[in-house]
Amino acid sequence: GRWFGKHTCSEMVYCFLVHTVTPGPCRLLFSAFFGCQEHDDSSDDSLRAKRKNHLAEVSQQVQSEFSFRSSTTGTKYHTDGLSEEQLAAKEIGMFHLPQGCPFNDSKVVLWLTQAKCGYVFIMDPDENRMLAESILNLLVRLVDAYVKKQDEAPAQMLIKADRMAAIIHQFLPNGQLQFMNHRVVEQYQKELEILLAGK
């Protein structure tokens, strides 16, 4: 995963990640950690491996919750050939991770799925969840506009990681959840388009 921001502890989102949610192995497509990380004396390689395992646990739990919801509504998702209605449909949910499972501190996981992908915020329990949901919805819309069209394979995110990083830099700077009205979003989007012009 990518590293964003300075070593401060004021960031509101611990990690943002994107992964597949369709049946089969859960594939991590993009991840970004922010700000002050939990203290760990492990080497860089072992820390990366530990984070990868932690994100795998979270993404698999999101995939499991999504699959359960799909089964209860009778909706069947396949690895290809989604209908237009399925591509546009969104599911959103949230669950708690108790201390030590898998992070040192307890966390809240806010997730949103659309078009074969799950978009996830891992946050502290006391963060503004309504604001987080609003920002997460905005990020999904921006990814659809600038990174991966709804009917494209999720792997597009792997080859366009620089575009993903630019969106995060502009709309989730250093992990901060910002209140943004329509005019601010429009201004940030213009700045984003300038950033993406050479990517």
Side-chain angles (χ1 to χ4, degrees):
R2 299 196 173 208
W3 173 269
F4 291 78
K6 301 176 181 179
H7 291 266
T8 67
C9 294
S10 60
E11 281 65 35
M12 299 178 74
V13 172
Y14 174 71
C15 181
F16 168 68
L17 64 144
V18 186
H19 59 85
T20 58
V21 292
T22 45
C26 191
R27 187 180 185 188
L28 184 64
L29 302 171
F30 181 87
S31 64
F33 290 88
F34 303 99
C36 184
Q37 302 300 296
E38 297 171 320
H39 178 71
D40 198 303
D41 293 325
S42 306
S43 67
D44 288 347
D45 287 343
S46 63
L47 184 57
R48 276 192 292 269
K50 185 182 294 185
R51 286 180 184 162
K52 185 177 180 180
N53 289 336
H54 289 172
L55 296 188
E57 288 185 43
V58 172
S59 58
Q60 286 164 11
Q61 189 165 343
V62 170
Q63 184 188 40
S64 177
E65 290 208 0
F66 173 74
S67 298
F68 176 76
R69 287 198 188 186
S70 300
S71 66
T72 57
T73 58
T75 305
K76 294 184 178 180
Y77 288 83
H78 304 284
T79 53
D80 51 26
L82 297 187
S83 67
E84 287 188 15
E85 184 179 354
Q86 288 174 330
L87 287 170
K90 289 182 180 179
E91 290 277 357
I92 192 161
M94 185 179 66
F95 56 85
H96 288 80
L97 297 172
Q99 185 176 7
C101 297
F103 303 103
N104 291 342
D105 299 320
S106 61
K107 301 291 182 187
V108 165
V109 174
L110 175 69
W111 59 268
L112 187 155
T113 61
Q114 184 181 38
K116 308 178 187 179
C117 293
Y119 301 81
V120 179
F121 279 165
I122 301 173
M123 313 178 295
D124 288 332
D126 58 350
E127 299 303 349
N128 186 328
R129 296 175 197 177
M130 289 185 65
L131 178 58
E133 183 177 331
S134 174
I135 300 297
L136 192 56
N137 267 291
L138 175 60
L139 292 180
V140 172
R141 180 170 65 80
L142 293 167
V143 169
D144 187 46
Y146 297 107
V147 182
K148 183 189 81 69
K149 302 302 180 184
Q150 286 185 351
D151 58 351
E152 285 184 335
Q156 285 293 318
M157 292 187 189
L158 293 173
I159 62 176
K160 296 180 180 178
D162 54 345
R163 284 179 165 255
M164 290 290 296
I167 291 171
I168 297 303
H169 174 76
Q170 197 69 29
F171 290 90
L172 193 68
N174 299 329
Q176 291 284 351
L177 296 168
Q178 304 177 104
F179 288 97
M180 293 179 284
N181 60 28
H182 183 68
R183 290 180 62 186
V184 172
V185 170
E186 281 191 341
Q187 179 59 37
Y188 282 4
Q189 205 160 341
K190 289 178 183 177
E191 294 173 7
L192 174 65
E193 289 173 356
I194 294 172
L195 284 174
L196 296 179
K199 297 185 185 297

